[in-house]
Amino acid sequence: MKTPSARSLLVIGLSLLAFTATGRAEQSPAVTAPRTDVAPPPPAPTTAEIVTKLKTYTYEQRAEYALLVDDLTRKADAALTELSASYVEVKSSPTRRKAMEAYRAAAADFKDKATKVDNAQPENWESITSNLATSWQNLQGAEAKFRSEKA
């Protein structure tokens, strides 16, 4: 009886490899196919929608309002982190530096106004919510301005 030659072993090995690879290729599309039964997430609210929402809460809804403000504060912090990561002061143009300063000032103003929600009273509720809505609008404008400036 003859022992298998290296050539025969190579042919057998390649055949097994090809067989295994084609079997996996047939399974792959089914596994990686996107799910069609899941609805896409709703679009993010616009700045105008958020401003309107910030102005419509009543004093009796202040707990829900505080949750919204906390969420917006987290978003502002995340945006500041993201923008700061792409910003190098030494290499930035004067207009970009000015835009970053304006964004940082707007973020600080928003956070300052957000802290006033906790101490709100019925007498000053409308003023606080209006000021906070305006501050959010200014923050979004400053962010858009920064993003539009070139390095």
Side-chain angles (χ1 to χ4, degrees):
M1 186 168 163
K2 284 183 160 181
T3 59
S5 67
R7 179 184 270 177
S8 299
L9 289 175
L10 181 62
V11 169
I12 292 170
L14 288 175
S15 298
L16 287 173
L17 182 63
F19 178 72
T20 305
T22 57
R24 290 179 191 228
E26 290 173 7
Q27 294 174 355
S28 186
V31 172
T32 59
R35 293 183 59 181
T36 57
D37 61 335
V38 177
T46 65
T47 299
E49 291 169 336
I50 292 173
V51 166
T52 300
K53 193 173 187 179
L54 284 169
K55 290 180 180 180
T56 58
Y57 280 83
T58 64
Y59 181 74
E60 290 74 26
Q61 297 170 314
R62 64 188 177 280
E64 295 89 6
Y65 188 80
L67 292 175
L68 174 62
V69 171
D70 288 344
D71 184 49
L72 293 176
T73 301
R74 280 191 298 278
K75 287 179 182 177
D77 288 341
L80 181 59
T81 301
E82 176 197 342
L83 296 178
S84 295
S86 70
Y87 174 72
V88 179
E89 190 166 342
V90 174
K91 295 181 181 179
S92 293
S93 67
T95 55
R96 188 166 170 88
R97 269 182 261 161
K98 191 173 182 177
M100 178 52 95
E101 289 170 12
Y103 181 77
R104 287 180 177 153
D109 180 61
F110 179 77
K111 285 183 181 183
D112 178 56
K113 288 184 173 46
T115 60
K116 295 180 180 176
V117 171
D118 294 335
N119 299 323
Q121 298 298 316
E123 304 83 42
N124 64 359
W125 179 255
E126 192 172 312
S127 171
I128 287 174
T129 58
S130 178
N131 289 341
L132 192 61
T134 301
S135 183
W136 177 256
Q137 195 168 18
N138 292 342
L139 178 62
Q140 296 308 295
E143 180 180 345
K145 174 79 172 151
F146 178 79
R147 289 183 188 277
S148 71
E149 292 294 332
K150 302 295 180 210

